[in-house]
Amino acid sequence: MTAQLRGPILFAGAPYSGMTPMIVTAAEVVERGAEVWFAGTEKYRPEFDARTAGRGGQFISLGAGESPAEPSSWDEATYHSFTQRSKWRSARAFVSHNLDVDLQVEWYRKLDAEVQRIKPALLVVDCLAQYAIDVAITRGIPFVINACLMPSFVLQPLLPRGYPWPYSGLPLRMTWRQRVANSVFKARMKTVMFRPGVFGKAVKYAKYARQLGIDPKAMKPSARIDAAELILLHTVFGLEYPFDVPDKVIAVGSITPPLPEEPNEQELRGWLDTHDSVVYLAFGTIIRLTPEGVGAFIEAARRLPEHAVLWKLPKEQWEQRPAGTEIPPNLRVEHWVPSQFDVLAHPSVKVFFTHAGSNGMHECLNFGKPMLCRPGWIDCHDIAHRIVDAGMGLTLDEPYSIDTDDIVAKLTRVLTEPSFRERAEYWTRKQQEAGGVRRAADLIIERAG
């Protein structure tokens, strides 16, 4: 049982963000005996219920969550606007498309009503859940920021001059041309709210904020940093490029559920057991490969016959592979895996071939596995630079097209050169030292006491 708390703890998720780390944290706090509520859209109810089954966690529905930021809702034109070569245009398109004022207002009203009913001692809010930060600041409720993104993405007002600006896709060590590009990108991003397609939405939200009585302090860019009791980062210092942060910013490492997640799953685990070296290939739920791209990855697997390849790929993309393509015997395609944690934890898995998403990177680093990156969009290019600079992986030379020769060459290096595994294992030790979900739960309960 946990110590006496001042009241319930209410978690508030971002309805279009990966919520597994936050749900795992909430389940750990439930395990300590705290009264826990979790606000999210209906898509997250099954996972929350499963992880807190029989232990008292209570779910607050924010509705169906038909957000424009939900990847399944994007048509091809929208998807390509987010994944184009121009980092500035893709970032601008993402902000313009995903700023849904009506949904933010709806979620604000629902959470505000629940806050007045439940009277929580503490809010734990996802870093992208602006509606929840607005409620916390307006109602004067202490809150903790829960951040799965890299620190620089969350703490932008603290970044020093010359720092590679989030979403620019630039490394720490820049050429003269890259430094100029970084300055231009930063200036453009600081004016994005005044761009066509965005400014009108910003004005509309400001109007609603006045009607709802949202504290004007919540509208400031630095509000989440200034007002938060604590900012929990799901990473470790050193992976991110360095900059000064206040004491309230604490890195707890990756949030991992108890493993195995699926102890009764035998078929896939049995297949992994029969191979000494497996490359696990997964590009998340956003990336859409062309038929030619699918064919290139199949050919890459064919050229690595001494290694097995496990590929998690949506069914509709797999079915679009070039007609007549022969599938090599070392390739296994799954449209869904019961637990990515269980796959990455398996000793036969030697490399994770990834789109360089933040959650996937940190999941992988729980298990000392090096990575090959094909960065997919927006923040993935930034994260790929962190992976390379930390010595735990490589990235493809040309992520916008798929070069089979480059894939095979880079995979061969990561599989055979010990330095990549050694550096990945180093970062795994650093993550373990950070404390993970147990430390996160300790800090949250401490703030609610």
Side-chain angles (χ1 to χ4, degrees), residues 5-25:
L5 303 182
R6 291 179 284 108
I9 299 173
L10 196 163
F11 288 74
Y16 38 77
S17 180
M19 285 289 97
T20 291
M22 183 175 248
I23 293 173
V24 169
T25 304

Side-chain angles (χ1 to χ4, degrees), residues 339-351:
S339 168
Q340 179 158 287
F341 285 105
D342 289 350
V343 170
L344 290 169
H346 197 283
S348 294
V349 174
K350 305 302 182 184
V351 171

Side-chain angles (χ1 to χ4, degrees), residues 283-297:
F283 292 148
T285 59
I286 293 174
I287 304 304
R288 304 176 186 178
L289 296 176
T290 63
E292 294 76 19
V294 174
F297 284 114

Side-chain angles (χ1 to χ4, degrees), residues 29-353:
V29 176
V30 168
E31 186 71 28
R32 308 287 183 89
E35 180 183 349
V36 170
W37 298 75
F38 191 100
T41 52
E42 282 297 320
K43 67 179 289 186
Y44 297 111
R45 184 191 290 271
E47 182 179 0
F48 178 79
D49 289 347
R51 294 192 186 278
T52 61
R55 291 177 288 163
Q58 301 179 76
F59 191 84
I60 297 170
S61 177
L62 296 177
E66 296 299 325
S67 167
E70 180 62 45
S72 61
S73 71
W74 299 341
D75 58 26
E76 285 301 310
T78 299
Y79 172 77
H80 287 297
S81 73
F82 297 164
T83 55
Q84 61 184 291
R85 286 179 178 270
S86 169
K87 306 298 190 301
W88 155 242
R89 291 192 180 97
S90 62
R92 182 183 62 187
F94 184 74
V95 172
S96 176
H97 181 79
N98 293 340
L99 183 58
D100 191 307
V101 175
D102 292 331
L103 272 180
Q104 287 292 327
V105 170
E106 178 186 343
W107 295 329
Y108 177 92
R109 285 174 168 154
K110 287 181 177 180
L111 185 66
D112 189 48
E114 293 295 339
V115 159
Q116 295 184 66
R117 179 177 69 87
I118 297 168
K119 296 179 170 54
L122 184 73
L123 280 175
V124 182
V125 304
D126 184 272
C127 63
L128 297 177
Q130 184 61 46
Y131 75 98
I133 295 170
D134 291 347
V135 169
I137 293 176
T138 301
R139 294 296 176 185
I141 302 170
F143 68 98
V144 172
I145 296 284
N146 193 68
C148 296
L149 302 177
M150 294 300 288
S152 59
F153 303 168
V154 182
L155 305 171
Q156 289 185 23
L158 305 181
L159 300 181
R161 183 178 181 180
Y163 195 95
W165 202 250
Y167 313 113
S168 67
L170 293 168
L172 180 62
R173 292 175 289 277
M174 290 182 270
T175 66
W176 178 83
R177 289 183 180 277
Q178 287 175 322
R179 288 196 296 271
V180 172
N182 185 52
S183 297
V184 172
F185 183 89
K186 177 181 177 180
R188 283 177 159 180
M189 287 302 296
K190 284 183 173 291
T191 64
V192 71
M193 296 305 292
F194 300 98
R195 297 282 174 166
V198 181
F199 182 71
K201 294 180 180 180
V203 170
K204 182 179 179 181
Y205 188 71
K207 178 181 177 181
Y208 272 122
R210 289 193 296 271
Q211 293 174 353
L212 294 168
I214 295 175
D215 191 321
K217 291 185 295 186
M219 309 296 285
K220 297 180 180 179
S222 62
R224 68 185 66 199
I225 302 172
D226 298 337
E229 293 276 312
L230 190 68
I231 300 173
L232 295 180
L233 304 173
H234 296 185
T235 187
V236 292
F237 293 122
L239 274 179
E240 176 62 282
Y241 299 146
F243 63 98
D244 293 334
V245 298
D247 292 340
K248 69 170 71 176
V249 178
I250 298 178
V252 298
S254 179
I255 301 298
T256 309
L259 298 181
E261 275 197 296
E262 299 290 340
N264 297 323
E265 195 287 318
Q266 298 297 327
E267 202 278 330
L268 180 57
R269 183 177 292 109
W271 181 85
L272 290 169
D273 289 342
T274 63
H275 296 88
D276 294 327
S277 178
V278 176
V279 175
Y280 176 48
L281 172 57
F283 292 148
T285 59
I286 293 174
I287 304 304
R288 304 176 186 178
L289 296 176
T290 63
E292 294 76 19
V294 174
F297 284 114
I298 293 172
E299 178 59 25
R302 188 190 321 280
R303 296 190 197 177
L304 295 166
E306 66 274 28
H307 305 280
V309 177
L310 172 62
W311 190 2
K312 179 186 173 185
L313 182 69
K315 182 179 180 181
E316 59 272 17
Q317 294 185 45
W318 177 243
E319 290 179 343
Q320 293 177 14
R321 65 191 181 276
T325 302
E326 182 181 349
I327 310 306
N330 64 325
L331 174 62
R332 173 172 176 148
V333 175
E334 293 287 342
H335 306 313
W336 176 80
V337 297
S339 168
Q340 179 158 287
F341 285 105
D342 289 350
V343 170
L344 290 169
H346 197 283
S348 294
V349 174
K350 305 302 182 184
V351 171
F352 182 28
F353 192 174

